[in-house]
Amino acid sequence: MKLMWFHLMPYTELPDDFRDNHPSVWVDIHSSLFDPQRAHHMYNDFMDELEFAADCGFDAICVNEHHSNGYGLMPSPNLIASSLARRTKDTKLCVMGNSIALYNPPTRVAEEFAMLDCISGGRLIAGFPVGSPMDTCFALGQNPSMLRQRYMEAHDLIIKAWTEKDTFAFNGRFNQQRYVNIWPRPVQRPHPPVWVPGGGSVETWQWCAEMEYVYCYLSYYGYKAGMQTMMGFWHEMKRIGKDMNPYRAGFLQFVGVAETEKEAYDLYREPAEYFYGRCLHVDPRFAMPPGYTTEATQRAGIESQVGRAAKEQRTNIAVSKSAREYDAILDNGYVITGTPDQVAERLRAIAKEMNVGHLMLLLQFGNMSKQLTQYNTKLFAEKVMPQLRDLFDDEWEDHWWPTPMADADRAKVSAPRMMAAE
Amino acid sequence: MDHSETTISAHGIESRVWRKGSGPKLAYLAGFAGLPKWIPMLDALAAHCEVNAISLPGFPGGGRGHLQLDSLFEFALATHDLVAAAGCRGATLMGASVGGALAMEVAAIWPDSVGKLVLQSPFGLYDDANPPTDPWAQRGDKVDALMCETEGAYNALIAAHGNADAVEWPIETVRAREASARYLWPNSATHVEKRLGRIVCPTLVLWGEKDKVQPPAYAGALRDGISGSVTVETIAGAGHMAELDRPDAVANAVARFLKG
């Protein structure tokens, strides 16, 4: 299986009273809380951590896009990925991703991803999220009623820009361009693998299957809450006749590893409570712009509410999505902590049960220091990773993994850097 | 006497029309949330004129035509065509709140199509120093107090009636908000101030005294910008949806205007 190291780049110095005295970590978080000189250090620490993860042998390092967000300091993940492309060699670069409906024209995404693919020698995974309501509709003002229509059109334009050999005109409903002809073109043919993070709607599952894209469920609420979504995904794949290749899917999990169970429990308390207490403090008025959720998804949600409640009562699998205390965070499975053997055993069982071949790991979360992040990362790489590597590989091939240029054909990059893993 | 219900069609967009009363025709474009149910203000208005309550695309009774409309102009054109299809071309056009934004556009773009214009707390204007409230970024339990001064009035409008489909009703409620967002997102600003001079018909501007969504001060901009004669009346004690807070006061103000 593939083990991928994911960074959200959270601002690590939100005040202790943040939850009580500030309405939201997202959209209208106050600028007085942001210290650019402290952020200088945070960005450089975060990029060190990503490079360190690459050196430790993770299959990919992952970045994502958020706007006006106190737990995600990457309005442009492409800027970070560009630097990482120079300072890593073989690790794949997963940009998860660019909210393609936001770009005007979306050709910009085709161009920048093609640049990244060229700079990295074909190591790019191209993530195409719709984007959260907070990012897209409120922070950047996109119309929620048109967002999905724009997304689909942006997708079509980008794919065509990557694959059409001749200059073409695009006369879309929302985008018109008389001359589309991107320079550069991506290294990977026909184009970099496309992965789609989604929230659990049937339409997205079906579309990923139709397009042969990877579906990723990137929840902050761990494997217990995610199980139902992933079971739904596989049920739908089976229903429409797709194989059960686990590499069709990706899943995100917070993990904290230490030499002893007690040490793990103690080390990750503060960053976990920081993340679930402060970073997920989002004003609910930004959660549901009208039109963002499709009517089919609304309908499915309303119809299943009664049935789901009854089922959860029967099976006792209800998972709270509001835990902020450490023990509840652990009990609910938001964060998995333990010794390397304990963590490996649980992740192996989860990956098998969810049938997920791309496991994205948040080994930095909340206000975790660089030192602790690197300890967590190194221990995971040395003692957990070897226990998971073989999973699925004897049975399934990952058709959705980047295919870089041959090593001999790649540029000798001379960007100076410290070997972080040393 | 109950109102009648008919379905009209204009260039592929179907719409429900509720009619009541006799006398001069008045086309009514409802406000935030549309008309999920009949409201008493329309009864009071129907004592003075023939009320034609036309459902706009996406609002209750207006189907899903909003998904075909991608701009303010396309919404205005659909509104113009539906008003004509309802037999109200040249009649009085009344628009409240988000419906008021479209009534203004119709009167500005096709001035000959509107005999008289009534605007009740219309969306469309934006003053940096006194911006409108964002009606879509609200917690569900806060909207009632934002829209009306009468506690529970807005919630009663959108509450499912006894025969309502438990699944489809809440979806329809969201759809109405989506439809208004589709032509007014994100700032509720249509830049109609550039076109107000094209409105030449007599115009009544009504504003709830305690409107917390659209600042009452905006009435002055309409009075100054519209070319036709403009009467401004404040509905004392009413909020943004004055038609729910003080239905008789709104209807009586319109009746006086129609007679004038």
Side-chain angles (χ1 to χ4, degrees):
Chain A
M1 72 180 304
K2 300 296 195 306
L3 295 153
M4 309 171 70
W5 201 98
F6 203 120
H7 214 317
L8 293 172
M9 297 200 175
Y11 195 83
T12 54
E13 296 176 9
L14 296 174
D16 292 343
D17 68 348
F18 180 74
R19 192 172 187 87
D20 295 327
N21 294 324
H22 297 272
S24 185
V25 78
W26 216 334
V27 182
D28 60 354
I29 182 172
H30 201 271
S31 65
S32 61
L33 300 177
F34 187 88
D35 181 340
Q37 297 192 18
R38 294 299 305 144
H40 162 75
H41 290 281
M42 290 178 203
Y43 275 120
N44 281 282
D45 282 350
F46 296 156
M47 293 168 82
D48 283 349
E49 292 160 13
L50 282 156
E51 291 166 10
F52 183 86
D55 289 343
C56 285
F58 282 82
D59 295 299
I61 44 181
C62 314
V63 290
N64 71 345
E65 174 179 340
H66 283 306
H67 301 271
S68 309
N69 185 324
Y71 77 73
L73 297 183
M74 280 184 283
S76 175
N78 300 358
L79 292 179
I80 304 295
S82 174
S83 172
L84 296 174
R86 287 274 293 172
R87 292 167 67 88
T88 60
K89 185 168 178 293
D90 298 316
T91 313
K92 307 307 179 284
L93 303 174
C94 178
V95 181
M96 198 72 201
N98 285 183
S99 299
I100 57 177
L102 297 178
Y103 293 81
N104 182 18
T107 313
R108 182 76 179 174
V109 176
E111 291 175 330
E112 291 194 4
F113 274 176
M115 286 176 71
L116 285 171
D117 208 41
C118 284
I119 296 168
S120 68
R123 291 184 284 143
L124 179 70
I125 294 167
F128 285 178
V130 171
S132 74
M134 290 69 88
D135 288 318
T136 57
C137 301
F138 290 109
L140 291 196
Q142 187 59 254
N143 192 312
S145 179
M146 299 179 188
L147 187 67
R148 286 169 199 280
Q149 292 164 318
R150 283 184 176 275
Y151 174 89
M152 296 309 291
E153 183 176 302
H155 164 269
D156 294 348
L157 173 50
I158 292 166
I159 297 295
K160 191 167 183 182
W162 277 342
T163 55
E164 178 68 46
K165 288 185 172 56
D166 298 317
T167 302
F168 65 93
F170 190 83
N171 193 33
R173 185 171 172 181
F174 304 103
N175 301 279
Q176 294 87 38
Q177 249 185 290
R178 185 64 185 85
Y179 305 99
V180 183
N181 176 30
I182 62 164
W183 276 64
R185 301 293 179 121
V187 165
Q188 296 181 80
R189 287 293 170 199
H191 55 73
V194 174
W195 293 21
V196 178
S201 76
V202 177
E203 300 108 300
T204 304
W205 297 340
Q206 292 169 343
W207 187 65
C208 285
E210 177 193 340
M211 303 304 295
E212 287 293 328
Y213 294 160
V214 171
Y215 171 78
C216 300
Y217 187 59
L218 307 183
S219 160
Y220 301 137
Y221 298 104
Y223 67 99
K224 289 185 181 175
M227 193 66 75
Q228 189 175 1
T229 298
M230 293 315 301
M231 292 303 98
F233 171 76
W234 289 115
H235 182 267
E236 185 61 20
M237 291 306 104
K238 191 172 184 182
R239 192 188 70 76
I240 59 181
K242 291 291 180 181
D243 62 38
M244 296 291 108
N245 189 329
Y247 293 111
R248 290 187 181 280
F251 184 75
L252 181 76
Q253 180 65 53
F254 289 60
V255 173
V257 196
E259 293 293 353
T260 69
E261 191 174 351
K262 170 74 166 54
E263 185 190 5
Y265 181 86
D266 292 342
L267 280 175
Y268 300 107
R269 171 191 287 276
E270 185 186 337
E273 290 191 336
Y274 180 97
F275 185 82
Y276 289 97
R278 299 180 210 183
C279 296
L280 294 193
H281 176 51
V282 181
D283 193 326
R285 71 196 183 98
F286 297 128
M288 294 286 283
Y292 179 85
T293 305
T294 66
E295 291 194 3
T297 301
Q298 289 180 58
R299 195 168 289 113
I302 295 168
E303 286 172 342
S304 68
Q305 273 169 11
V306 176
R308 189 193 305 137
K311 185 180 174 190
E312 287 174 348
Q313 207 166 22
R314 274 201 312 276
T315 58
N316 198 27
I317 59 163
V319 176
S320 162
K321 286 192 175 177
S322 58
R324 298 194 295 275
E325 302 296 327
Y326 190 44
D327 287 336
I329 289 167
L330 298 179
D331 287 346
N332 282 310
Y334 300 176
V335 179
I336 292 174
T337 62
T339 66
D341 288 348
Q342 288 172 326
V343 168
E345 185 181 350
R346 284 179 82 184
L347 288 179
R348 197 174 174 90
I350 291 162
K352 285 173 80 171
E353 190 172 355
M354 284 190 168
N355 196 40
V356 167
H358 301 116
L359 190 56
M360 300 175 182
L361 299 146
L362 275 169
L363 294 159
Q364 192 286 343
F365 50 85
N367 62 350
M368 198 184 290
S369 68
K370 182 163 119 179
Q371 184 184 21
L372 181 54
T373 301
Q374 293 187 340
Y375 170 75
N376 196 18
T377 300
K378 194 162 190 282
L379 202 54
F380 188 101
E382 290 177 353
K383 296 189 175 176
V384 180
M385 200 184 287
Q387 301 186 57
L388 301 173
R389 268 266 178 259
D390 64 312
L391 198 57
F392 303 126
D393 281 355
D394 57 339
E395 193 179 355
W396 297 102
E397 187 178 347
D398 190 347
H399 304 296
W400 298 269
W401 199 244
T403 49
M405 294 165 59
D407 196 42
D409 297 334
R410 301 256 294 276
K412 304 290 179 261
V413 177
S414 58
R417 61 172 299 210
M418 305 280 286
M419 283 304 289
E422 286 175 357
Chain B
M1 189 183 76
D2 273 349
H3 58 274
S4 67
E5 178 173 324
T6 56
T7 300
I8 59 171
S9 178
H11 306 290
I13 292 182
E14 289 202 337
S15 169
R16 177 195 74 195
V17 179
W18 281 339
R19 283 198 180 89
K20 187 170 184 179
S22 60
K25 288 176 181 285
L26 179 145
Y28 180 74
L29 309 178
F32 204 74
L35 285 178
K37 58 185 70 152
W38 183 261
I39 56 175
M41 195 281 289
L42 297 178
D43 284 323
L45 204 54
H48 306 283
C49 60
E50 180 193 295
V51 175
N52 295 262
I54 302 166
S55 294
L56 293 169
F59 290 83
R64 294 181 176 80
H66 64 298
L67 297 177
Q68 306 307 315
L69 307 175
D70 295 336
S71 66
L72 177 68
F73 175 73
E74 290 184 5
F75 269 92
L77 185 60
T79 305
H80 167 270
D81 292 348
L82 288 170
V83 169
C88 294
R89 184 179 167 78
T92 298
L93 178 61
M94 176 175 178
S97 179
V98 295
L102 293 176
M104 272 196 288
E105 294 300 332
V106 171
I109 301 171
W110 299 278
D112 293 342
S113 72
V114 180
K116 289 185 171 182
L117 180 65
V118 180
L119 302 171
Q120 182 201 316
S121 300
F123 276 54
L125 296 170
Y126 190 99
D127 179 355
D128 281 328
N130 187 17
T133 301
D134 182 349
W136 301 285
Q138 299 294 332
R139 293 176 57 140
D141 60 353
K142 303 286 187 193
V143 179
D144 185 71
L146 178 67
M147 292 293 163
C148 294
E149 288 300 295
T150 311
E151 185 178 352
Y154 174 79
N155 284 344
L157 175 68
I158 63 168
H161 57 69
N163 300 325
D165 185 312
V167 174
E168 295 305 317
W169 182 276
I171 293 173
E172 192 173 272
T173 304
V174 173
R175 190 186 306 141
R177 293 193 293 119
E178 176 190 350
S180 61
R182 196 164 174 100
Y183 61 90
L184 291 166
W185 191 274
N187 291 350
S188 310
T190 60
H191 301 289
V192 69
E193 62 273 11
K194 293 193 285 189
R195 297 179 288 281
L196 286 178
R198 293 176 52 85
I199 300 177
V200 294
C201 62
T203 300
L204 171 65
V205 176
L206 299 175
W207 226 288
E209 176 196 21
K210 297 182 175 177
D211 191 335
K212 294 190 281 283
V213 181
Q214 294 291 318
Y218 287 7
L222 296 181
R223 185 186 55 225
D224 296 344
I226 291 172
S227 295
S229 62
V230 179
T231 305
V232 176
E233 286 201 32
T234 299
I235 308 296
H240 179 66
M241 298 181 80
E243 72 274 28
L244 301 183
D245 280 326
R246 296 201 58 205
D248 288 336
V250 171
N252 290 338
V254 176
R256 287 195 297 275
F257 175 65
L258 294 177
K259 285 178 187 162

